[in-house]
Amino acid sequence: MDSKDIKEHFQHLLKLLEIEKKEDLEQYKKLMSDSSIEERKNKGICWYPVQLEKSSFDAGARAIIKVSRKQEQAHVFQTGKTVSLFSLAGNNDETSESSKGVINQVKGNEMIITLNEDDIPEWISEGNLGVQLLFDEGAYRELERALTIAMNGEEPQLIKMREILLGNRKASFSKKYEFDIPYLNDSQNEAFKNTLAAEDVAIIHGPPGTGKTTTLVQCIIQDLKENDQVLVTAPSNAAVDLLTDKLVEKGINVLRLGHPARVTDRLLQQTVDYKITKHLRYKELKAIKQQEAQYRDAAAKFKRNFGSDQRRERKMLYVEANKLRKEIRSLSDYISNDIFEKAEVITCTLVGATTQLMRSKRFSTAYIDEAAQALEAATWIPILKADKIVLAGDHQQLPPTIKSVEAAKEGMDKTLFENVIKQKSVDVMLKEQYRMNKDIMNFPSDYFYDGKLIANDEVQDWKIYDEDQPLEFIDTAGTGFQDQVAPESLSTYNKEEAELLQKHLTQYINIVNGSNQLDNIGSIGIITPYKAQVKVLKELVQQMDIPSIVRKKINVNTVDSFQGQERDIIYISLVRSNDDGIIGFLSNARRMNVAMTRARKKLVVIGDSATISRNKFYSKFIDYVNEIGAYRSAFELMYD
């Protein structure tokens, strides 16, 4: 692209971002508009009434509450979502009090929320409490701001980065790094050296199980030998926490930015809020806060009808309180900046890099993990803050989540990672994988990675028991199993296929138990693209005649929920079975790459070959299972 094309590229991204924001807001309004509390409850965006179970403060002195509800009901609440805790006035739908917060955890009928307040609101003990979802517009503002700066900025470094990432300018590499790290394999060392030799842009391409995080951590450690501080980001809190954890294990001073509710418990000690409480000047800050609160409390005690002397005294108290408030802000800023400057690595989400603490900061290097899952607009946020960018990820796995079909069709689901890896020759692919038996690995390797993946010696032949078949495809063609649409959710399910999966898994566990190899099953995942099928499968798992110790190891969920995870055994229910060959979500081969590559020792895929094989991916998969003797008809299970 020339400079004109680059500007048009950013203008197009801004247009798509506006389309996505409108769709997101529209979906939220549809859920919320003109609806009663009861209707919102039925839509899953409100819990009411809730009981206050506990209130406390976290390590960073933020207010935390735990609430519960009596009635089990489907909902959309999840960790990290922004919510409003509210109290209703009497028995009508009018909110009398409310407070914003972020969800720490939702488990069953219990929810833990970190409030955006320093104190527990007094009104929460008065009852009539509820929690409802909020629309978070802040992230869109930051994405638009980043794109606008990236498009119009005239700083030499930004112009250079724009031309390298989007234009015809080549990335530069030095020959400085020729040494190997002994505990990295050949391709990891190649990626390590390529990353450190890069002067502006490098990519670590990490297919499933190839040790991308391990390689990334070694690059960061080496980088810190020459630079005082680096930035490490990712699109999700889970990915940021994983890297933070690995860096802390290596003894690195890491500062984890972000709302404490979005940080796992074990990493709270790395947050600004916690580190403030351990700072040398925290006691001083706390004392000033207490004094300020005393002045305000004293001023607030004056009634409306009072004389001139009392008015002067109240005014004096507020003046003193305001002076202390300025002191508090000044000292808080000093402590936060001191903590920031002493950290070797700053970790945060992409949008989290826009916090006030980060506004004027600049880094020698910004590492962006899971970059193939990040919106391009979000990727520009750390790019604007660094002289060098390292992108890590795999564009053959899940793309970013886009709510607008129009925006996705117009290219919003195309990431900067994907564009750069295809055009710039700045990447090294990691080739040795440490997760899967070779029979599970070979098909995704051939289809997505040009057959370049190799299984590490320790994993290539591992199985649950010696005579086991690591991969099976159970074909339901001809059985008459038909997919159906659940009227309440409009999601697709296939109960007969789910029952077949239940039968196969029960038999398999009994065989393993009979071989005295039950200890070899550390975890089992059951994956399906459809939420309605998840619900059916969860119910069937509870009915299975298997040891309870094994049932506790089974997790049933959608493909997206398993990204970045692995299990000893994976079952995949494809669901779609119809005369028209309609396969919906299944047509996204990248989603199926994620599903299949979660398995370590055993992968069982159940589906209708007559429906799915019209698609190139599944046609080749069925050819593969036939070649290795992993094909099995459902009739064998139904009538044995």
Side-chain angles (χ1 to χ4, degrees):
M1 295 185 198
D2 58 24
S3 58
K4 181 184 174 185
D5 291 335
I6 289 173
K7 186 153 191 173
E8 287 176 356
H9 173 79
F10 282 114
Q11 287 171 339
H12 183 60
L13 287 179
L14 283 164
K15 175 188 151 192
L16 296 182
L17 189 63
E18 187 61 30
I19 293 169
E20 174 71 1
K21 178 185 171 183
K22 282 181 180 176
E23 177 61 27
D24 196 2
L25 183 57
E26 194 61 37
Q27 288 183 19
Y28 176 78
K29 284 180 176 176
K30 279 180 184 176
L31 288 170
M32 300 295 290
S33 64
D34 301 324
S35 58
S36 66
I37 291 292
E38 200 58 38
E39 287 169 330
R40 291 175 196 174
K41 282 167 63 178
N42 291 334
K43 291 174 182 176
I45 57 172
C46 178
W47 282 17
Y48 182 84
V50 295
Q51 180 73 32
L52 178 65
E53 296 291 339
K54 186 181 176 184
S55 61
S56 59
F57 294 89
D58 67 9
R62 292 203 189 210
I64 290 183
I65 62 152
K66 180 179 181 180
V67 297
S68 66
R69 60 175 183 170
K70 290 180 180 177
Q71 186 181 355
E72 184 84 40
Q73 203 168 6
H75 63 84
V76 298
F77 293 104
Q78 55 185 279
T79 299
K81 290 279 189 183
T82 305
V83 294
S84 169
L85 174 75
F86 63 86
S87 174
L88 291 187
N91 293 319
N92 58 37
D93 281 1
E94 186 180 338
T95 300
S96 63
E97 303 280 2
S98 67
S99 180
K100 287 185 181 180
V102 175
I103 298 174
N104 284 48
Q105 185 184 71
V106 184
K107 195 170 183 181
N109 280 338
E110 293 182 339
M111 189 185 301
I112 299 172
I113 304 166
T114 299
L115 300 178
N116 295 344
E117 306 202 13
D118 294 332
D119 296 310
I120 307 290
E122 291 180 8
W123 52 265
I124 70 170
S125 58
E126 295 171 6
N128 290 332
L129 293 179
V131 181
Q132 69 182 17
L133 198 64
L134 289 179
F135 180 73
D136 189 1
E137 198 170 1
Y140 285 104
R141 280 198 303 271
E142 295 299 344
L143 295 177
E144 184 180 338
R145 179 175 177 273
L147 286 176
T148 304
I149 294 170
M151 176 173 64
N152 298 323
E154 293 299 325
E155 297 84 358
Q157 179 61 27
L158 174 55
I159 293 170
K160 175 185 171 186
M161 197 60 78
R162 268 199 313 250
E163 290 174 352
I164 290 171
L165 294 171
L166 299 174
N168 299 318
R169 188 166 178 166
K170 286 190 174 181
S172 303
F173 291 83
S174 70
K175 296 291 182 184
K176 251 177 11 182
Y177 293 93
E178 295 299 331
F179 60 89
D180 288 346
I181 300 289
Y183 37 85
L184 294 184
N185 64 43
D186 290 346
S187 60
Q188 287 173 335
N189 265 310
E190 188 186 348
F192 169 79
K193 288 184 283 191
N194 183 67
T195 298
L196 294 171
E199 294 180 354
D200 21 61
V201 178
I203 287 181
I204 300 172
H205 180 197
T210 54
K212 171 176 60 70
T213 302
T214 300
T215 309
L216 206 51
V217 166
Q218 287 304 317
C219 291
I220 294 164
I221 290 170
Q222 190 62 38
D223 200 327
L224 288 171
K225 291 179 180 177
E226 296 192 7
N227 299 293
D228 294 333
Q229 193 178 69
V230 298
L231 175 64
V232 175
T233 66
S236 72
N237 282 291
V240 174
D241 284 344
L242 175 63
L243 272 167
T244 304
D245 213 11
K246 297 295 183 187
L247 291 165
V248 170
E249 281 177 12
K250 298 293 184 183
I252 293 170
N253 181 359
V254 183
L255 179 63
R256 170 63 161 102
L257 300 184
H259 197 297
R262 296 188 172 104
V263 179
T264 54
D265 289 344
R266 71 180 185 279
L267 293 176
L268 275 175
Q269 293 184 9
Q270 312 308 321
T271 62
V272 178
D273 291 56
Y274 180 86
K275 291 192 176 195
I276 284 174
T277 66
K278 300 301 175 185
H279 194 272
L280 289 172
R281 296 190 66 181
Y282 176 67
K283 286 183 180 177
E284 181 186 344
L285 177 66
K286 192 174 180 182
I288 300 172
K289 281 185 174 181
Q290 287 172 343
Q291 193 177 357
E292 188 268 350
Q294 287 169 2
Y295 278 127
R296 288 201 177 275
D297 288 345
K301 285 177 183 175
F302 286 100
K303 305 298 179 187
R304 284 190 176 181
N305 299 317
F306 51 79
S308 58
D309 289 345
Q310 291 170 312
R311 190 175 289 110
R312 275 195 303 272
E313 189 177 348
R314 187 181 74 158
K315 184 178 179 182
M316 182 196 73
L317 288 168
Y318 275 129
V319 167
E320 291 302 316
N322 288 335
K323 282 181 185 176
L324 291 173
R325 177 58 66 182
K326 287 178 183 176
E327 271 190 62
I328 289 166
R329 275 199 296 268
S330 176
L331 185 52
S332 293
D333 289 346
Y334 167 79
I335 292 172
S336 296
N337 279 303
D338 189 45
I339 290 166
F340 192 100
E341 294 304 322
K342 287 175 180 173
E344 296 173 282
V345 176
I346 308 298
T347 63
C348 58
T349 61
L350 298 170
V351 175
T354 62
T355 59
Q356 195 61 40
L357 200 55
M358 288 279 282
R359 283 287 188 216
S360 59
K361 307 298 183 188
R362 187 150 192 91
F363 301 87
S364 56
T365 312
Y367 292 85
I368 305 175
D369 194 17
E370 302 296 356
Q373 275 191 279
L375 291 174
E376 180 173 337
T379 309
W380 279 99
I381 294 170
I383 292 172
L384 294 173
K385 298 180 179 296
D387 299 325
K388 171 178 163 180
I389 301 297
V390 179
L391 304 170
D394 179 17
H395 56 301
Q396 301 295 357
Q397 296 188 59
L398 290 178
T401 301
I402 312 290
K403 293 190 176 182
S404 165
V405 174
E406 181 188 351
K409 280 183 180 176
E410 290 289 320
M412 196 174 189
D413 60 347
K414 293 291 184 292
T415 64
L416 192 62
F417 180 99
E418 194 172 349
N419 288 331
V420 174
I421 200 171
K422 286 178 178 177
Q423 299 171 25
K424 295 294 179 178
S425 302
V426 295
D427 61 297
V428 172
M429 189 178 92
L430 308 181
K431 299 182 178 71
E432 187 171 354
Q433 67 84 17
Y434 298 82
R435 177 183 297 165
M436 295 163 271
N437 178 291
K438 64 181 184 301
D439 287 350
I440 299 170
M441 175 199 76
N442 282 336
F443 176 70
S445 174
D446 289 344
Y447 194 89
F448 295 103
Y449 307 108
D450 299 322
K452 291 178 180 177
L453 293 187
I454 55 170
N456 176 266
D457 291 343
E458 291 187 15
V459 306
Q460 64 174 344
D461 295 314
W462 67 359
K463 303 175 183 179
I464 299 295
Y465 62 96
D466 289 342
E467 298 79 26
D468 198 11
Q469 174 88 358
L471 171 62
E472 290 182 60
F473 173 66
I474 314 296
D475 189 2
T476 65
T479 59
F481 298 174
Q482 291 284 304
D483 58 45
Q484 301 177 64
V485 175
E488 68 279 3
S489 64
L490 301 181
S491 178
T492 308
Y493 72 100
N494 188 325
K495 190 173 183 189
E496 291 161 310
E497 182 179 291
E499 288 169 343
L500 189 72
L501 187 153
Q502 177 199 37
K503 185 173 184 179
H504 186 284
L505 179 54
T506 302
Q507 288 181 358
Y508 181 75
I509 289 169
N510 289 333
I511 291 169
V512 175
N513 199 14
S515 305
N516 295 315
Q517 301 295 321
L518 216 53
D519 289 345
N520 284 346
I521 301 178
S523 55
I524 302 171
I526 301 176
I527 302 178
T528 181
Y530 297 96
K531 288 183 178 177
Q533 188 76 340
V534 169
K535 184 179 178 184
V536 173
L537 286 163
K538 282 184 174 179
E539 290 170 359
L540 290 173
V541 165
Q542 293 309 311
Q543 299 166 17
M544 288 173 64
D545 184 19
I546 56 173
S548 60
I549 192 170
V550 178
R551 196 192 321 276
K552 290 175 183 175
K553 296 176 181 178
I554 300 175
N555 178 231
V556 185
N557 221 321
T558 58
V559 182
D560 298 47
S561 301
F562 274 92
Q563 171 91 349
Q565 300 182 41
E566 58 186 61
R567 297 289 188 274
D568 288 327
I569 300 167
I570 287 287
Y571 275 72
I572 302 174
S573 172
L574 297 179
V575 178
R576 301 315 294 256
S577 181
N578 53 72
D579 297 333
D580 300 316
I582 297 170
I583 63 171
F585 283 147
L586 298 186
S587 60
N588 187 333
R590 287 162 63 172
R591 182 166 267 107
M592 291 313 300
N593 183 32
V594 171
M596 290 179 176
T597 56
R598 301 310 95 195
R600 301 171 73 206
K601 302 175 183 178
K602 177 80 171 180
L603 172 63
V604 181
V605 182
I606 303 178
D608 178 356
S609 65
T611 299
I612 64 174
S613 61
R614 301 180 204 187
N615 177 282
K616 176 186 171 186
F617 173 82
Y618 297 99
S619 174
K620 287 187 173 295
F621 176 65
I622 291 165
D623 288 344
Y624 173 71
V625 294
N626 274 307
E627 284 170 20
I628 66 168
Y631 177 91
R632 190 174 175 189
S633 170
F635 290 107
E636 298 174 42
L637 271 171
M638 292 166 66
Y639 301 118
D640 63 3

